[in-house]
Amino acid sequence: MSGKRSIFEEVPAEGAQQPATAPGGIDRGRRGARRAIRAWLILLFALVVMMIAVGGLTRLTGSGLSITEWRPVSGALPPLSEADWQAEFEKYQAIDQFRIQNRWMELADFKVIYWWEWSHRQLGRLIGLVWALGFAGFLLARRVPPGWHVRLLIPGLLGAAQGAVGWWMVASGITSGQGAVAVASYRLAAHLGLAFAILGVLAWYVFLLGRPERDLMQARRSRDGALFGIATGWLHFAFLQILLGAMVAGIAAGRSFADWPLMGGQIVPPNAWIIEPAWRNLFENAGLVQFIHRIIAYLLLAYGIFAFLRGRRSAHEAVRFAFSLAFAALFLQLVLGILTVVYGVPWQVAILHQLGAIVVFVLILRARFLANYPQVTSLREARR
């Protein structure tokens, strides 16, 4: 006979089943369209990588100043007639780059560099369109997870700023009578740096959306704060080196000295401080700029060894592997940088070096993410 029950207790009918507790309560109402949004962000990430690659090739082919006007809307259409082509060519002929460096060009040669720059700008328009359509679509469908509205707005705002910075960069090279034949290197660094910032934001969001909300909340309890800080420093260090790489590219400093490990037979390149005032050498002296890029590369490698060894002490296998992978990519990137210099910056190797920077940056970011949200391995999984 069953024990006594309270007169206020509800007794289910005989044979009735008790309601099962549904797992994933934290995620209910917080999912939105997480998978679809993640796929959309991955597409944006791939397009930005493509944008960086095309931008690098545009620079390597000397095509960046071929379009002398900023027309965000009407510029989407290329010249459609021979008269239109001739008009564009005449605008280019009026700037210093043509007068000083490319007077040999005919219309057919101009079309080649024009298509590179047009493709670069067109990719920017495509990225903006993909972001706008995706953001508006998820917003109108009310499928944005709670707390993600502002997050998903950030890439669009950064993209709009990138368009303005891109024109600010190009405008520095469109001169007549001032002798400029290329864009300002510090503006190129700002343009590339913002592109990597956008990549970082997109990658971080992809990492977050790749795991359920409840998993992230649980993982935070096992975060390694010290290792997260080390990875953060590593990421900032790599970002600094990327900016310096843009400075090198902006003044073609990679071609100034093709020997390694010395430069012109010396540790410090000759004539490192020849420009007056002295501070201008840090931006305009090809030998000194390349020297600084090399020194920072060695220091970054040393920091990478420290981060690798510290990461190997993590209790989580995924974290250990992430730090090992990031260090391996960094080492290969250093080798690729040496080859780029030694072989005189051929475009094939140079563009691989630029893409390698993306791989290193994202892998360090991933190691940082896993230090903050480690994937905890259960005892059952550990025995397998």
Side-chain angles (χ1 to χ4, degrees), residues 339-370:
L339 293 176
T340 303
V341 168
V342 170
Y343 285 99
V345 196
W347 70 265
Q348 299 92 334
V349 183
I351 200 65
L352 283 177
H353 189 48
Q354 184 163 318
L355 292 174
I358 296 174
V359 173
V360 171
F361 184 77
V362 173
L363 287 179
I364 294 175
L365 185 66
R366 181 173 177 271
R368 179 178 182 265
F369 176 81
L370 288 175

Side-chain angles (χ1 to χ4, degrees), residues 293-315:
H293 190 51
R294 290 189 184 194
I295 294 301
I296 296 299
Y298 303 145
L299 294 176
L300 180 59
L301 180 65
Y303 190 96
I305 293 173
F306 163 69
F308 163 72
L309 294 176
R310 178 59 181 81
R312 293 299 301 168
R313 291 162 51 190
S314 173

Side-chain angles (χ1 to χ4, degrees), residues 315-318 320 375-384:
H316 306 286
E317 182 180 355
R320 296 195 299 270
Q375 293 176 328
V376 181
T377 303
S378 67
L379 292 175
R380 181 181 298 178
E381 290 173 340
R383 291 170 182 170
R384 290 178 182 176

Side-chain angles (χ1 to χ4, degrees), residues 152-197:
L152 298 182
L153 182 62
I154 289 175
L157 296 177
L158 291 176
Q162 179 71 319
V165 170
W167 174 246
W168 175 65
M169 175 191 69
V170 171
S172 66
I174 300 177
T175 63
S176 181
Q178 300 173 34
V181 296
V183 301
S185 59
Y186 64 91
R187 297 192 187 191
L188 176 61
H191 189 49
L192 184 63
L194 187 52
F196 270 82

Side-chain angles (χ1 to χ4, degrees), residues 5-16:
R5 297 178 182 270
S6 169
I7 60 174
F8 298 105
E9 180 180 355
E10 293 186 4
V11 181
E14 188 173 349

Side-chain angles (χ1 to χ4, degrees), residues 41 44-45 48 131 148 150-159 193-209 235 361-362 365 368:
L41 293 176
L44 283 171
F45 180 90
V48 174
W131 172 82
W148 277 87
V150 175
R151 286 179 176 179
L152 298 182
L153 182 62
I154 289 175
L157 296 177
L158 291 176
L194 187 52
F196 270 82
I198 294 171
L199 272 184
V201 168
L202 292 173
W204 191 263
Y205 291 171
V206 168
F207 297 153
L208 285 173
L209 292 170
L235 187 71
F361 184 77
V362 173
L365 185 66
R368 179 178 182 265

